[in-house]
Amino acid sequence: SILIVDVRDTYFQSNPFDFRSSSSPALGTVHLPANQQQQSNNEEECRLDLFEENYEAVNIAKSQYNSRWIKVAYGQKALKEVSSKPVICSGSTMGSQRA
């Protein structure tokens, strides 16, 4: 298992590798290049967990950083289209090596 986090603002209440998402399935192998695909019943073999900010507190419109980045890169129209979406925290990513 691999865990990537922002170390300055992260602390653990338990072993992060004991985490198992109950709401999202394993990725399977369909997204892998053909030379890496193999059939397997091992659910944990290819897994990627992404974490979002507290949606009730922060969405893209409420985040001055995220809304500014989107507006500068893609324009006001794109910002309006995604403003109600949750902020996905790239500072917390966990998964298997194959993912």
Side-chain angles (χ1 to χ4, degrees):
S1 294
I2 298 170
L3 173 63
I4 301 169
V5 296
D6 295 332
V7 295
R8 293 187 320 168
D9 62 354
T10 302
Y11 95 32
F12 302 101
Q13 296 176 327
S14 63
N15 182 346
F17 296 107
D18 288 341
F19 171 81
R20 295 292 179 259
S21 174
S22 61
S23 62
S24 60
L27 293 175
T29 58
V30 294
H31 70 288
L32 296 174
N35 65 342
Q36 293 182 12
Q37 289 185 14
Q38 67 181 27
Q39 294 297 330
S40 173
N41 292 330
N42 184 354
E43 182 177 305
E44 295 301 313
E45 186 173 277
C46 187
R47 180 174 193 87
L48 183 64
D49 291 300
L50 306 173
F51 302 89
E52 65 183 48
E53 302 287 339
N54 177 349
Y55 180 73
E56 294 175 2
V58 180
N59 62 26
I60 291 175
K62 294 177 185 175
S63 169
Q64 67 178 351
Y65 302 107
N66 290 284
S67 59
R68 183 185 56 193
W69 293 332
I70 292 170
K71 184 177 179 180
V72 168
Y74 303 104
Q76 183 65 38
K77 182 180 177 188
L79 175 59
K80 185 180 272 189
E81 289 176 14
V82 298
S83 64
S84 65
K85 302 292 184 189
V87 174
I88 304 298
C89 180
S90 62
S92 302
T93 306
M94 186 164 67
S96 65
Q97 184 175 2
R98 285 194 73 208

